[in-house]
Amino acid sequence: IKILYGMENTLVNRNILNTNDTIQKDRLVVESAIKCANEAKKGHLNARIEGTTTNPSLSELKDVINLMLEATESNIKKQ
């Protein structure tokens, strides 16, 4: 029973560490998005959201915003 308890604790601890790592990566993407939005607000359309995340929704949002900024920057340069 003690061996099983130790194995369960190890698994739980590993899952906690993985969850904390995922949350930290998500935070970095969100912080980058905030910085990017503030730069774009100043007219710096070359700003992009950086970082990686395993969260599919956050990753999609990052990609869509970056594509929007690229298109806007490109359209302005054409004028």
Side-chain angles (χ1 to χ4, degrees):
I1 294 177
K2 286 184 180 182
I3 292 173
L4 289 176
Y5 182 70
M7 291 172 65
E8 286 177 2
N9 279 344
T10 300
L11 183 60
V12 168
N13 287 339
R14 188 174 303 137
N15 286 338
I16 289 170
L17 290 174
N18 288 340
T19 300
N20 283 339
D21 184 54
T22 298
I23 290 169
Q24 182 61 28
K25 287 179 180 177
D26 288 353
R27 274 191 194 146
L28 291 174
V29 171
V30 170
E31 288 171 7
S32 179
I34 291 167
K35 181 179 176 184
C36 180
N38 284 326
E39 288 300 306
K41 185 171 55 173
K42 295 175 190 174
H44 303 171
L45 299 178
N46 61 336
R48 299 294 182 268
I49 301 172
E50 299 176 356
T52 58
T53 177
T54 57
N55 180 324
S57 297
L58 187 55
S59 182
E60 182 179 12
L61 179 62
K62 178 189 105 168
D63 293 343
V64 167
I65 291 172
N66 281 341
L67 287 172
M68 177 193 67
L69 287 168
E70 287 174 24
T72 303
E73 183 180 23
S74 176
N75 289 334
I76 288 174
K77 285 181 179 179
K78 288 179 186 176
Q79 295 179 1

PDB file of all heavy atoms in Angstrom, residues 22 26 29-30 33 49 51-66:
ATOM      1  N   THR A  22       1.972  24.726 -17.987  1.00  0.00           N
ATOM      2  CA  THR A  22       0.990  25.136 -18.998  1.00  0.00           C
ATOM      3  C   THR A  22       0.419  26.513 -18.669  1.00  0.00           C
ATOM      4  O   THR A  22       0.294  27.370 -19.552  1.00  0.00           O
ATOM      5  CB  THR A  22      -0.150  24.097 -19.087  1.00  0.00           C
ATOM      6  OG1 THR A  22       0.410  22.844 -19.488  1.00  0.00           O
ATOM      7  CG2 THR A  22      -1.217  24.513 -20.064  1.00  0.00           C
ATOM      8  N   ASP A  26       0.721  29.955 -20.899  1.00  0.00           N
ATOM      9  CA  ASP A  26      -0.472  30.723 -21.273  1.00  0.00           C
ATOM     10  C   ASP A  26      -0.342  32.173 -20.823  1.00  0.00           C
ATOM     11  O   ASP A  26      -0.701  33.100 -21.551  1.00  0.00           O
ATOM     12  CB  ASP A  26      -1.733  30.106 -20.671  1.00  0.00           C
ATOM     13  CG  ASP A  26      -2.135  28.800 -21.328  1.00  0.00           C
ATOM     14  OD1 ASP A  26      -1.519  28.413 -22.347  1.00  0.00           O
ATOM     15  OD2 ASP A  26      -3.076  28.156 -20.817  1.00  0.00           O
ATOM     16  N   VAL A  29       1.823  34.165 -23.174  1.00  0.00           N
ATOM     17  CA  VAL A  29       1.123  34.512 -24.415  1.00  0.00           C
ATOM     18  C   VAL A  29       0.164  35.682 -24.160  1.00  0.00           C
ATOM     19  O   VAL A  29       0.086  36.621 -24.954  1.00  0.00           O
ATOM     20  CB  VAL A  29       0.386  33.295 -25.003  1.00  0.00           C
ATOM     21  CG1 VAL A  29      -0.517  33.693 -26.162  1.00  0.00           C
ATOM     22  CG2 VAL A  29       1.382  32.233 -25.459  1.00  0.00           C
ATOM     23  N   VAL A  30      -0.555  35.640 -23.054  1.00  0.00           N
ATOM     24  CA  VAL A  30      -1.489  36.721 -22.724  1.00  0.00           C
ATOM     25  C   VAL A  30      -0.726  38.028 -22.499  1.00  0.00           C
ATOM     26  O   VAL A  30      -1.133  39.089 -22.990  1.00  0.00           O
ATOM     27  CB  VAL A  30      -2.349  36.355 -21.489  1.00  0.00           C
ATOM     28  CG1 VAL A  30      -3.140  37.553 -20.995  1.00  0.00           C
ATOM     29  CG2 VAL A  30      -3.284  35.198 -21.823  1.00  0.00           C
ATOM     30  N   ALA A  33       0.236  39.343 -25.769  1.00  0.00           N
ATOM     31  CA  ALA A  33      -0.932  39.899 -26.469  1.00  0.00           C
ATOM     32  C   ALA A  33      -1.243  41.307 -25.968  1.00  0.00           C
ATOM     33  O   ALA A  33      -1.558  42.198 -26.767  1.00  0.00           O
ATOM     34  CB  ALA A  33      -2.141  38.987 -26.286  1.00  0.00           C
ATOM     35  N   ILE A  49       2.096  38.899 -31.493  1.00  0.00           N
ATOM     36  CA  ILE A  49       1.997  38.119 -30.259  1.00  0.00           C
ATOM     37  C   ILE A  49       2.981  36.966 -30.370  1.00  0.00           C
ATOM     38  O   ILE A  49       3.005  36.249 -31.369  1.00  0.00           O
ATOM     39  CB  ILE A  49       0.569  37.594 -30.047  1.00  0.00           C
ATOM     40  CG1 ILE A  49      -0.412  38.763 -29.969  1.00  0.00           C
ATOM     41  CG2 ILE A  49       0.507  36.740 -28.777  1.00  0.00           C
ATOM     42  CD1 ILE A  49      -1.868  38.333 -29.957  1.00  0.00           C
ATOM     43  N   GLY A  51       5.105  33.573 -28.326  1.00  0.00           N
ATOM     44  CA  GLY A  51       4.941  32.523 -27.332  1.00  0.00           C
ATOM     45  C   GLY A  51       4.160  31.345 -27.885  1.00  0.00           C
ATOM     46  O   GLY A  51       3.561  31.426 -28.957  1.00  0.00           O
ATOM     47  N   THR A  52       4.215  30.269 -27.140  1.00  0.00           N
ATOM     48  CA  THR A  52       3.498  29.061 -27.533  1.00  0.00           C
ATOM     49  C   THR A  52       2.600  28.617 -26.388  1.00  0.00           C
ATOM     50  O   THR A  52       2.877  28.898 -25.229  1.00  0.00           O
ATOM     51  CB  THR A  52       4.467  27.917 -27.875  1.00  0.00           C
ATOM     52  OG1 THR A  52       5.299  27.657 -26.747  1.00  0.00           O
ATOM     53  CG2 THR A  52       5.328  28.242 -29.079  1.00  0.00           C
ATOM     54  N   THR A  53       1.542  27.942 -26.758  1.00  0.00           N
ATOM     55  CA  THR A  53       0.595  27.449 -25.771  1.00  0.00           C
ATOM     56  C   THR A  53      -0.008  26.145 -26.270  1.00  0.00           C
ATOM     57  O   THR A  53      -0.087  25.928 -27.476  1.00  0.00           O
ATOM     58  CB  THR A  53      -0.515  28.483 -25.495  1.00  0.00           C
ATOM     59  OG1 THR A  53      -1.450  27.921 -24.570  1.00  0.00           O
ATOM     60  CG2 THR A  53      -1.240  28.885 -26.760  1.00  0.00           C
ATOM     61  N   THR A  54      -0.415  25.310 -25.345  1.00  0.00           N
ATOM     62  CA  THR A  54      -1.115  24.080 -25.721  1.00  0.00           C
ATOM     63  C   THR A  54      -2.623  24.278 -25.687  1.00  0.00           C
ATOM     64  O   THR A  54      -3.369  23.377 -26.031  1.00  0.00           O
ATOM     65  CB  THR A  54      -0.731  22.915 -24.779  1.00  0.00           C
ATOM     66  OG1 THR A  54      -1.026  23.290 -23.431  1.00  0.00           O
ATOM     67  CG2 THR A  54       0.741  22.566 -24.914  1.00  0.00           C
ATOM     68  N   ASN A  55      -3.045  25.476 -25.297  1.00  0.00           N
ATOM     69  CA  ASN A  55      -4.466  25.806 -25.257  1.00  0.00           C
ATOM     70  C   ASN A  55      -4.923  26.136 -26.675  1.00  0.00           C
ATOM     71  O   ASN A  55      -4.519  27.162 -27.236  1.00  0.00           O
ATOM     72  CB  ASN A  55      -4.676  26.996 -24.315  1.00  0.00           C
ATOM     73  CG  ASN A  55      -6.116  27.416 -24.200  1.00  0.00           C
ATOM     74  OD1 ASN A  55      -6.868  27.356 -25.162  1.00  0.00           O
ATOM     75  ND2 ASN A  55      -6.484  27.859 -23.014  1.00  0.00           N
ATOM     76  N   PRO A  56      -5.756  25.291 -27.287  1.00  0.00           N
ATOM     77  CA  PRO A  56      -6.148  25.505 -28.682  1.00  0.00           C
ATOM     78  C   PRO A  56      -6.845  26.843 -28.926  1.00  0.00           C
ATOM     79  O   PRO A  56      -6.592  27.498 -29.941  1.00  0.00           O
ATOM     80  CB  PRO A  56      -7.089  24.341 -28.995  1.00  0.00           C
ATOM     81  CG  PRO A  56      -6.870  23.335 -27.930  1.00  0.00           C
ATOM     82  CD  PRO A  56      -6.346  24.073 -26.733  1.00  0.00           C
ATOM     83  N   SER A  57      -7.699  27.264 -28.028  1.00  0.00           N
ATOM     84  CA  SER A  57      -8.417  28.528 -28.204  1.00  0.00           C
ATOM     85  C   SER A  57      -7.475  29.717 -28.134  1.00  0.00           C
ATOM     86  O   SER A  57      -7.562  30.647 -28.943  1.00  0.00           O
ATOM     87  CB  SER A  57      -9.515  28.675 -27.148  1.00  0.00           C
ATOM     88  OG  SER A  57     -10.471  27.668 -27.296  1.00  0.00           O
ATOM     89  N   LEU A  58      -6.572  29.705 -27.186  1.00  0.00           N
ATOM     90  CA  LEU A  58      -5.606  30.791 -27.039  1.00  0.00           C
ATOM     91  C   LEU A  58      -4.658  30.823 -28.231  1.00  0.00           C
ATOM     92  O   LEU A  58      -4.323  31.889 -28.744  1.00  0.00           O
ATOM     93  CB  LEU A  58      -4.832  30.641 -25.724  1.00  0.00           C
ATOM     94  CG  LEU A  58      -3.903  31.769 -25.328  1.00  0.00           C
ATOM     95  CD1 LEU A  58      -4.627  33.104 -25.281  1.00  0.00           C
ATOM     96  CD2 LEU A  58      -3.262  31.460 -23.983  1.00  0.00           C
ATOM     97  N   SER A  59      -4.260  29.663 -28.707  1.00  0.00           N
ATOM     98  CA  SER A  59      -3.393  29.582 -29.876  1.00  0.00           C
ATOM     99  C   SER A  59      -4.092  30.125 -31.117  1.00  0.00           C
ATOM    100  O   SER A  59      -3.494  30.875 -31.902  1.00  0.00           O
ATOM    101  CB  SER A  59      -2.960  28.132 -30.100  1.00  0.00           C
ATOM    102  OG  SER A  59      -2.081  28.034 -31.186  1.00  0.00           O
ATOM    103  N   GLU A  60      -5.356  29.772 -31.282  1.00  0.00           N
ATOM    104  CA  GLU A  60      -6.121  30.272 -32.427  1.00  0.00           C
ATOM    105  C   GLU A  60      -6.289  31.788 -32.350  1.00  0.00           C
ATOM    106  O   GLU A  60      -6.140  32.490 -33.361  1.00  0.00           O
ATOM    107  CB  GLU A  60      -7.484  29.603 -32.498  1.00  0.00           C
ATOM    108  CG  GLU A  60      -8.315  30.037 -33.681  1.00  0.00           C
ATOM    109  CD  GLU A  60      -9.675  29.348 -33.758  1.00  0.00           C
ATOM    110  OE1 GLU A  60     -10.084  28.688 -32.777  1.00  0.00           O
ATOM    111  OE2 GLU A  60     -10.331  29.486 -34.793  1.00  0.00           O
ATOM    112  N   LEU A  61      -6.585  32.305 -31.169  1.00  0.00           N
ATOM    113  CA  LEU A  61      -6.721  33.747 -30.991  1.00  0.00           C
ATOM    114  C   LEU A  61      -5.421  34.457 -31.337  1.00  0.00           C
ATOM    115  O   LEU A  61      -5.422  35.468 -32.047  1.00  0.00           O
ATOM    116  CB  LEU A  61      -7.142  34.068 -29.557  1.00  0.00           C
ATOM    117  CG  LEU A  61      -7.314  35.539 -29.212  1.00  0.00           C
ATOM    118  CD1 LEU A  61      -8.427  36.162 -30.055  1.00  0.00           C
ATOM    119  CD2 LEU A  61      -7.607  35.698 -27.727  1.00  0.00           C
ATOM    120  N   LYS A  62      -4.304  33.936 -30.867  1.00  0.00           N
ATOM    121  CA  LYS A  62      -2.991  34.504 -31.173  1.00  0.00           C
ATOM    122  C   LYS A  62      -2.770  34.544 -32.679  1.00  0.00           C
ATOM    123  O   LYS A  62      -2.372  35.566 -33.235  1.00  0.00           O
ATOM    124  CB  LYS A  62      -1.898  33.671 -30.511  1.00  0.00           C
ATOM    125  CG  LYS A  62      -0.483  34.133 -30.805  1.00  0.00           C
ATOM    126  CD  LYS A  62       0.525  33.144 -30.303  1.00  0.00           C
ATOM    127  CE  LYS A  62       1.070  32.411 -31.505  1.00  0.00           C
ATOM    128  NZ  LYS A  62       2.246  31.616 -31.262  1.00  0.00           N
ATOM    129  N   ASP A  63      -3.053  33.432 -33.348  1.00  0.00           N
ATOM    130  CA  ASP A  63      -2.838  33.355 -34.793  1.00  0.00           C
ATOM    131  C   ASP A  63      -3.734  34.328 -35.559  1.00  0.00           C
ATOM    132  O   ASP A  63      -3.282  35.005 -36.487  1.00  0.00           O
ATOM    133  CB  ASP A  63      -3.065  31.928 -35.289  1.00  0.00           C
ATOM    134  CG  ASP A  63      -2.021  30.951 -34.775  1.00  0.00           C
ATOM    135  OD1 ASP A  63      -0.949  31.393 -34.314  1.00  0.00           O
ATOM    136  OD2 ASP A  63      -2.282  29.731 -34.829  1.00  0.00           O
ATOM    137  N   VAL A  64      -4.988  34.420 -35.154  1.00  0.00           N
ATOM    138  CA  VAL A  64      -5.932  35.310 -35.838  1.00  0.00           C
ATOM    139  C   VAL A  64      -5.526  36.774 -35.665  1.00  0.00           C
ATOM    140  O   VAL A  64      -5.543  37.550 -36.629  1.00  0.00           O
ATOM    141  CB  VAL A  64      -7.373  35.076 -35.329  1.00  0.00           C
ATOM    142  CG1 VAL A  64      -8.316  36.175 -35.767  1.00  0.00           C
ATOM    143  CG2 VAL A  64      -7.880  33.716 -35.795  1.00  0.00           C
ATOM    144  N   ILE A  65      -5.130  37.147 -34.473  1.00  0.00           N
ATOM    145  CA  ILE A  65      -4.712  38.532 -34.229  1.00  0.00           C
ATOM    146  C   ILE A  65      -3.440  38.848 -35.009  1.00  0.00           C
ATOM    147  O   ILE A  65      -3.326  39.912 -35.623  1.00  0.00           O
ATOM    148  CB  ILE A  65      -4.541  38.810 -32.721  1.00  0.00           C
ATOM    149  CG1 ILE A  65      -5.909  38.794 -32.036  1.00  0.00           C
ATOM    150  CG2 ILE A  65      -3.824  40.140 -32.486  1.00  0.00           C
ATOM    151  CD1 ILE A  65      -5.850  38.859 -30.529  1.00  0.00           C
ATOM    152  N   ASN A  66      -2.484  37.919 -35.014  1.00  0.00           N
ATOM    153  CA  ASN A  66      -1.257  38.153 -35.766  1.00  0.00           C
ATOM    154  C   ASN A  66      -1.541  38.286 -37.265  1.00  0.00           C
ATOM    155  O   ASN A  66      -0.970  39.158 -37.928  1.00  0.00           O
ATOM    156  CB  ASN A  66      -0.239  37.045 -35.507  1.00  0.00           C
ATOM    157  CG  ASN A  66       0.480  37.221 -34.176  1.00  0.00           C
ATOM    158  OD1 ASN A  66       0.501  38.299 -33.601  1.00  0.00           O
ATOM    159  ND2 ASN A  66       1.069  36.149 -33.691  1.00  0.00           N
TER     160      ASN A  66
END
